[in-house]
Amino acid sequence: MKKITEEILHQAAQAFDFACETGEIARYGEGHINDTFVVWAADKSKRFILQRINTDTFKKPDELMENICKVTDFLRKIIEKNGGDPERETLNVIPTVDGAPFYTDADGGAWRAYKFVENTICLQKVENENDFYTVAETFGNFQNQLAAFPAASLHETIAKFHDTPNRYRNFEKAVSEDAMGRAEDVAAEIDFVRTREADCHVLVDMLAKGEIPLRVTHNDTKLNNVLIDETSKKGICVIDLDTVMPGLTAYDFGDSIRFGANDCAEDEPDQSKVHFSLHLFEVFTKGFLSTAGAAMSEQEKISLVWGAKLMTLECGMRFLTDYLEGNHYFHISRPDQNLDRARTQFTLVKGMEAQFDSMMDIVKKF
Ligand code: ADP
Ligand code: GN1
Ligand code: MG
């Protein structure tokens, strides 16, 4: 991706139909993929989200935005029917002045804009278990809301996104190419992944055997992809809809556990500070099953535990792959950040393995 110049940024802001004069623009949020900015109205009465879509990651921004418009239109109708507030409970795409869902800049960058959902908190880390519980309810509810969405109408925005065996193959390719000459220094981490190759197949095999259903899932259910209402402290809006695609409930459940069921940052450099929390796992399971559980079979519930372990292992593999390839995928702010991220995931995987039976018992309990 090209560097965003001031000129390109301001042209992008001018391209959208904000229906007001715009003023200050600043970088915003802590996503690893897109370039996110906040654009203020000149009189500071309101603000907007302006994002350059990462087109290295999402190669077809037209298809991506078609998905997002379809999904948010669908959600808006459900929210209205349930007496909710569609301005706050789903993303609202702001069109360009020409009425298009995104804008292409002079460098070929693709930009979109959303209404800013005000009076919300976006957490980077679990601060108390009530927050984690409401995030669980919110993602569970999101899955329910999309149960009747016509899955076949969605484009696959990233092919094989949670195909863990394919992620494993990409990891092996990065090890054998060793583009940066780093493989020798991370032999222990490479070995960690290799001894778990067989595990990578568990969920795709369950799907292939028809034991668990394909659903429309979010696929990137980090804590910071839910906005929590500042007053009610309830999760209100699921954001970052770039990867809404057919997937498994285990992916959504698992990715939230990966990110949230611990007391550390995703990139914690000191592994002695990284602990998988069975208690937070229980909190999340209870919240998630309270909204999504009714539609799930016993087998699908069991798959959630595998989802937790495999989404964590897969993400660790992806961070390690990116480190080996020279950090071209995930945004970094320091050289070894992806390696620290990978190590953190592997420490969490070990924690989960040590408590796998207890995780199964918890899932069966709710
Ligand atoms: P990325 O794919 O890079 O993670 P996100 O779409 O998640 O990008 O946006 C990054 C951050 O911007 C979010 O974590 C959140 O803090 C903030 N954000 C995104 N959309 C909105 C919105 N509509 N209202 C308020 N904050 C938002
Ligand atoms: C990325 O976009 P963001 O920061 O919400 C990534 C996820 C990873 C996550 C790890 C499209 O999520 O798959 O799990 O980083 N998104 C994409 O933090 O690759
Ligand atoms: Mg995000």
Side-chain angles (χ1 to χ4, degrees), residues 30-32 34 51 220 222 224-225 239-240:
E30 296 188 29
H32 293 344
N34 296 307
Q51 270 182 336
D220 188 2
K222 286 203 286 198
N224 61 9
N225 287 332
I239 61 169
D240 204 344

Side-chain angles (χ1 to χ4, degrees), residues 28 38 47-49 87 94 114-120:
Y28 194 79
V38 62
R47 53 185 166 163
F48 310 93
I49 288 285
E87 298 284 304
I94 300 175
Y114 293 123
K115 286 187 185 164
F116 195 102
V117 186
E118 293 291 353
N119 305 315
T120 58

Side-chain angles (χ1 to χ4, degrees), residues 28-38 47-52 54 58 87 90-92 112-124 218 220 222-227 237-242 331:
Y28 194 79
E30 296 188 29
H32 293 344
I33 303 295
N34 296 307
D35 289 293
T36 306
F37 299 87
V38 62
R47 53 185 166 163
F48 310 93
I49 288 285
L50 175 67
Q51 270 182 336
R52 186 178 69 172
N54 187 327
F58 301 105
E87 298 284 304
T90 185
L91 285 174
N92 284 266
R112 66 177 164 214
Y114 293 123
K115 286 187 185 164
F116 195 102
V117 186
E118 293 291 353
N119 305 315
T120 58
I121 313 165
C122 178
L123 293 170
Q124 305 305 331
H218 182 282
D220 188 2
K222 286 203 286 198
L223 200 59
N224 61 9
N225 287 332
V226 170
L227 301 177
C237 185
V238 173
I239 61 169
D240 204 344
L241 306 178
D242 296 333
H331 290 171

Side-chain angles (χ1 to χ4, degrees), residues 63-349:
E63 292 190 356
L64 172 72
M65 289 311 293
E66 200 182 305
N67 277 6
I68 291 184
C69 291
K70 272 188 200 154
V71 168
T72 53
D73 284 348
F74 185 90
L75 290 174
R76 189 167 308 116
K77 285 188 198 119
I78 294 179
I79 294 162
E80 273 165 5
K81 206 173 104 201
N82 295 337
D85 179 357
E87 298 284 304
R88 281 173 64 71
E89 293 172 30
T90 185
L91 285 174
N92 284 266
V93 175
I94 300 175
T96 68
V97 288
D98 303 326
F102 71 99
Y103 159 77
T104 307
D105 69 31
D107 290 338
W111 297 76
R112 66 177 164 214
Y114 293 123
K115 286 187 185 164
F116 195 102
V117 186
E118 293 291 353
N119 305 315
T120 58
I121 313 165
C122 178
L123 293 170
Q124 305 305 331
K125 192 169 178 293
V126 173
E127 278 157 23
N128 67 67
E129 61 183 68
N130 296 339
D131 293 339
F132 201 39
Y133 186 83
T134 194
V135 168
E137 285 178 316
T138 309
F139 279 129
N141 184 45
F142 182 81
Q143 171 158 318
N144 283 348
Q145 287 176 323
L146 291 178
F149 186 89
S153 74
L154 286 173
H155 301 285
E156 194 177 28
T157 56
I158 301 177
K160 300 184 191 288
F161 190 57
H162 282 311
D163 179 333
T164 315
N166 190 59
R167 295 287 186 186
Y168 182 86
R169 285 190 288 276
N170 292 342
F171 153 78
E172 281 293 2
K173 187 163 168 272
V175 175
S176 68
E177 286 174 2
D178 194 18
M180 310 296 291
R182 291 174 171 168
E184 205 185 315
D185 298 335
V186 293
E189 286 75 12
I190 291 171
D191 196 48
F192 183 91
V193 175
R194 284 184 169 155
T195 56
R196 287 162 180 80
E197 185 193 353
D199 290 341
C200 296
H201 298 262
V202 171
L203 288 173
V204 290
D205 286 355
M206 285 178 95
L207 176 67
K209 284 191 221 146
E211 292 172 359
I212 49 174
L214 200 61
R215 299 181 183 275
V216 175
T217 50
H218 182 282
N219 296 306
D220 188 2
T221 50
K222 286 203 286 198
L223 200 59
N224 61 9
N225 287 332
V226 170
L227 301 177
I228 297 172
D229 186 89
E230 219 165 39
T231 317
S232 70
K233 300 283 189 285
K234 286 280 174 192
I236 53 154
C237 185
V238 173
I239 61 169
D240 204 344
L241 306 178
D242 296 333
T243 51
V244 173
M245 290 184 284
L248 302 179
T249 308
Y251 299 157
D252 281 6
F253 177 89
D255 199 49
S256 285
I257 296 297
R258 170 190 81 75
F259 192 83
N262 59 66
D263 55 3
C264 64
E266 191 184 52
D267 61 349
E268 173 59 58
D270 179 355
Q271 293 308 304
S272 72
K273 291 190 183 149
V274 181
H275 308 102
F276 167 65
S277 162
L278 190 63
H279 176 64
L280 287 175
F281 175 84
E282 178 156 5
V283 167
F284 192 90
T285 304
K286 193 173 169 201
F288 192 82
L289 291 183
S290 77
T291 45
M296 290 165 63
S297 69
E298 190 71 19
Q299 256 320 58
E300 197 177 15
K301 287 180 192 166
I302 286 170
S303 77
L304 300 181
V305 179
W306 276 102
K309 174 169 160 177
L310 290 194
M311 288 303 97
T312 313
L313 178 64
E314 178 187 283
C315 202
M317 262 184 328
R318 292 173 64 196
F319 288 140
L320 186 59
T321 302
D322 201 30
Y323 178 76
L324 290 166
E325 290 176 345
N327 304 313
H328 62 82
Y329 189 88
F330 295 104
H331 290 171
I332 53 162
S333 53
R334 53 185 173 80
D336 285 349
Q337 197 170 13
N338 273 324
L339 179 58
D340 289 334
R341 286 170 176 158
R343 287 181 171 148
T344 300
Q345 306 312 300
F346 299 152
T347 304
L348 293 171
V349 167

